Amino acid sequence: KATRETTMKLQGRVFFVVWTSWSVMMAAAIEPITTSIAVGMAAALTGFLATYQNVLYYFHECCREEWISFNRSGLEADLEKKLFGQHVASKVILKAVTGFMNNKNPKKPLVLSLHGWTGTGKNFVTQLIAENVYKKGMASGYVHQFVSTAHFPHPSHVDQYKVQLQQWIRGNVTNCARSLFIFDEMDKMHPGLIDSIKPFLDYYENLDGVSYRQSIFIFLSNAGGENITRIVLDFWKDGKEREDIQLKDLETQVSLDVFNNKKSGFWHTSLIDKNLVDFFIPFLPLEYKHVRMCVLAEMRARGIEPDEEAASSVASEMNYFPKDEKVFSVKGCKTIGGKLDFYI
């Protein structure tokens, strides 16, 4: 806001200079040569104003292509090199985001719901999406993250939260149609609260003069994690390859699970009932090899020479289940940072 006010003041001063110069020169425009000088100076000042605007956009984030531009190849590379053990999620997210961002006239906002146990990469994926859409990534003023336990803590204030949530979304989309909204801890959100934004996710061309069709909404939840793990474990017990698991094997079960779960923010929500969620994306439990890959990636991110022995040691320190088979990591890659500090 301060930046906009400063900009308006500076622009006002420039317009005042243009107007003053033009008035003085018109008063003295008795001779043709004087008129020519006046026109030339006015054109020069107009050019200066246009240049000033472009320079301002260069230094201050704004809702323009200079700051918001989808990098498909970048997202594809990030999903392939940085997200481990999530072949289903990677494929669906790349196609969904690419198709939406390349659509000049989408009929509704893109709505993704990511499900799975902690440490499997749900938050990390939202970061990758933001980094490949917004120049400033998660730090962009057009990326908005809501955490249920932090922003909506009191059950008695649900009606107030509904009004605030609608105002926040309406205000931010009015400011920039290409906004990203992330709702974390959906499994801890009060039932009924998320229904307040249903109109913004629907197939309306606009609501009160505001179109929400170019925005992206992403929901993150641990709900559905048990069923996802059960299905993946059954694949493992049957001797099937993990990579054979497809979205169709999990999506319907996950959507039903969160819709009928009273502890889910999606409990009996119209967002599911009216088919406004485009994809329910499962995040599979991670195995030892995936945790080890996470450790090596963390080393590279810190500028440390990858150490295979240290990576194996850190991965081995994690807890795995079921108790006898010890196939899947209990916390995924959640706590590898602290354990890596110990080993290096």
Side-chain angles (χ1 to χ4, degrees):
K1 181 178 179 181
T3 301
R4 289 199 298 270
E5 291 176 352
T6 302
T7 301
M8 292 176 66
K9 289 179 181 179
L10 289 173
Q11 290 175 343
R13 292 171 184 172
V14 173
F15 280 121
F16 176 76
V17 171
V18 173
W19 174 253
T20 302
S21 301
W22 181 255
S23 299
V24 171
M25 292 174 184
M26 284 299 294
I30 299 175
E31 300 178 9
I33 188 170
T34 306
T35 303
S36 300
I37 294 174
V39 172
M41 291 188 66
L45 286 170
T46 302
F48 167 77
L49 181 58
T51 303
Y52 166 76
Q53 285 275 32
N54 291 331
V55 170
L56 183 66
Y57 291 143
Y58 181 82
F59 288 104
H60 297 280
E61 185 183 31
C62 55
C63 191
R64 290 163 54 107
E65 290 186 1
E66 291 91 336
W67 295 91
I68 304 175
S69 181
F70 178 54
N71 182 0
R72 184 198 183 282
S73 59
L75 179 59
E76 182 177 21
D78 283 345
L79 291 171
E80 181 180 344
K81 298 177 181 179
K82 299 179 181 179
L83 183 67
F84 308 115
Q86 304 300 349
H87 67 282
V88 177
S90 294
K91 182 178 180 180
V92 176
I93 287 171
L94 181 62
K95 286 189 173 183
V97 176
T98 299
F100 179 74
M101 294 298 294
N102 289 340
N103 187 348
K104 300 299 183 181
N105 186 31
K107 301 302 180 183
K108 64 181 290 296
L110 176 63
V111 184
L112 306 177
S113 190
L114 316 185
H115 297 267
W117 277 359
T118 183
T120 52
K122 301 186 299 296
N123 275 288
F124 184 57
V125 158
T126 62
Q127 176 184 327
L128 296 181
I129 293 173
E131 289 176 350
N132 286 285
V133 174
Y134 303 90
K135 186 175 181 179
K136 297 181 69 174
M138 290 296 291
S140 171
Y142 307 119
V143 176
H144 314 281
Q145 186 166 23
F146 302 93
V147 180
S148 295
T149 52
H151 293 99
F152 317 112
H154 306 295
S156 59
H157 295 169
V158 170
D159 290 338
Q160 179 182 346
Y161 294 151
K162 288 181 179 180
V163 174
Q164 291 176 340
L165 190 53
Q166 288 182 334
Q167 291 175 340
W168 286 333
I169 293 177
R170 184 182 298 111
N172 283 307
V173 176
T174 300
N175 186 38
C176 184
R178 187 67 82 183
S179 294
L180 170 61
F181 299 94
I182 303 166
F183 293 84
D184 199 1
E185 298 184 346
M186 279 297 298
D187 48 305
K188 298 179 178 64
M189 181 172 282
H190 309 300
L193 174 55
I194 203 62
D195 276 338
S196 65
I197 71 169
K198 184 260 181 186
F200 305 141
L201 310 186
D202 217 325
Y203 290 83
Y204 298 115
E205 185 172 350
N206 67 72
L207 292 171
D208 297 325
V210 180
S211 175
Y212 299 85
R213 291 181 170 186
Q214 290 188 328
S215 297
I216 300 177
F217 292 79
I218 302 179
F219 302 104
L220 312 180
S221 177
N222 290 342
E226 290 186 7
N227 273 323
I228 293 172
T229 299
R230 177 183 56 78
I231 293 172
V232 177
L233 186 59
D234 287 343
F235 262 75
W236 181 81
K237 289 180 177 179
D238 292 341
K240 299 178 181 178
E241 293 294 328
R242 177 189 181 96
E243 286 67 27
D244 291 337
I245 299 174
Q246 300 180 40
L247 180 65
K248 65 181 181 180
D249 298 318
L250 296 159
E251 187 176 32
T252 300
Q253 183 60 53
V254 171
S255 63
L256 289 173
D257 190 19
V258 298
F259 183 76
N260 294 311
N261 187 347
K262 290 186 176 181
K263 294 183 179 180
S264 166
F266 284 122
W267 182 65
H268 286 190
T269 177
S270 59
L271 271 63
I272 296 178
D273 193 34
K274 300 300 182 181
N275 299 309
L276 297 180
V277 178
D278 296 300
F279 295 98
F280 289 90
I281 304 176
F283 278 67
L284 314 184
L286 301 182
E287 301 174 16
Y288 168 85
K289 61 181 179 182
H290 303 127
V291 176
R292 191 172 179 280
M293 293 167 73
C294 285
V295 179
L296 292 171
E298 177 68 14
M299 289 180 178
R300 287 191 289 269
R302 295 187 184 190
I304 302 172
E305 185 69 25
D307 186 327
E308 299 287 346
E309 184 177 347
S312 298
S313 298
V314 173
S316 299
E317 284 291 315
M318 306 295 284
N319 294 320
Y320 296 86
F321 70 96
K323 184 177 180 180
D324 295 328
E325 293 90 346
K326 295 184 178 181
V327 182
F328 305 119
S329 172
V330 173
K331 296 181 180 179
C333 291
K334 190 80 171 183
T335 59
I336 62 170
K339 292 186 179 295
L340 183 59
D341 290 336
F342 175 78
Y343 279 94
I344 62 175

